[in-house]
Amino acid sequence: RYMLINRQFEELFPVTNPELMGKTDYDIFPKEFADAFVANDHTVMESGFPVQSEEVAPQDDGPHTYISVKFPLRDASGAAYAVCGISSDITERKRMETELHRRNEDLDAFANTIAHDLRAPLRGLRMLSGVLLEDYGAELGSGGTGLVQGVAEAVDSMDALIEDLLEYARLSRREIELQPVGLREAVNEALKQLASQV
């Protein structure tokens, strides 16, 4: 039963200290909410330790989510006789987390669709390059063979680029890992790609 509430509680759930004294959660909240509050209170009393949990409470503009820390109050002998709770409204943070999760899912779906659509013609180019080399390699000569091999290498580079883009899209949900990079290899690869465009 309630022993004391602060002014913020009175403003959020229009009730005053005198009105609430001696009443229970079931007197002011619907049963599904009160059940959760009471269960957390019992956990504190039975364990004798503070408990942090998310609690949802109905308000005029809809349910609000709170981070609640509840802890036992003890008498002079050390026995727990009541539960004290401090709550912080995290409704907006939860809404933003839900929206961020939804946007990440949309980004994943978009990236996977794009990757699939880009890789389909690459598979065709890779297959055709292989057929050309296998069936007509002798007729192409060294120059023609080199060109076909250049196409195959470009296909592999494009495929690697698509995979890099997918990895980049996933960065928002992973901790960034720093790794050493071989600058000589990176520069040589860049020069190689630039030379192929001349």
Side-chain angles (χ1 to χ4, degrees), residues 23-191:
K23 293 184 178 179
T24 70
D25 285 316
Y26 294 97
D27 294 316
I28 59 171
F29 297 111
K31 183 179 184 303
E32 64 268 25
F33 297 100
D35 283 344
F37 301 154
V38 170
N40 288 337
D41 292 346
H42 285 172
T43 299
V44 173
M45 292 297 288
E46 290 166 6
S47 70
F49 293 100
V51 172
Q52 177 176 299
S53 61
E54 286 189 12
E55 295 184 323
V56 179
Q59 289 178 218
D60 291 341
D61 60 345
H64 278 231
T65 304
Y66 293 85
I67 284 287
S68 295
V69 177
K70 295 183 174 181
F71 51 92
L73 298 180
R74 302 180 184 278
D75 59 22
S77 68
Y81 69 90
V83 173
C84 183
I86 302 172
S87 298
S88 299
D89 192 332
I90 60 167
T91 304
E92 183 61 19
R93 190 183 87 190
K94 295 290 288 185
R95 186 196 66 76
M96 292 176 65
E97 287 175 353
T98 300
E99 178 64 14
L100 180 61
H101 180 70
R102 184 191 67 77
R103 291 187 180 189
N104 282 337
E105 287 184 339
D106 290 345
L107 179 60
D108 277 346
F110 176 74
N112 287 328
T113 299
I114 292 298
H116 179 270
D117 291 347
L118 290 176
R119 278 176 165 154
L122 290 181
R123 286 192 295 270
L125 284 172
R126 186 178 286 113
M127 182 188 69
L128 289 173
S129 299
V131 169
L132 277 172
L133 290 175
E134 184 176 340
D135 294 350
Y136 303 101
E139 299 172 31
L140 290 173
S142 59
T145 299
L147 289 174
V148 174
Q149 288 174 340
V151 170
E153 289 176 4
V155 167
D156 290 340
S157 295
M158 183 65 177
D159 194 55
L161 179 59
I162 292 171
E163 186 59 36
D164 289 343
L165 288 172
L166 288 174
E167 283 296 311
Y168 182 74
R170 299 184 190 110
L171 281 179
S172 62
R173 294 177 308 287
R174 286 197 324 217
E175 184 176 344
I176 295 178
E177 298 178 8
L178 299 179
Q179 296 180 349
V181 175
L183 291 180
R184 184 181 302 278
E185 291 80 4
V187 170
N188 287 339
E189 180 61 27
L191 290 174

Side-chain angles (χ1 to χ4, degrees), residues 154 157 161 189-198:
S157 295
L161 179 59
E189 180 61 27
L191 290 174
K192 180 180 178 183
Q193 292 180 13
L194 288 172
S196 67
Q197 298 173 15
V198 176

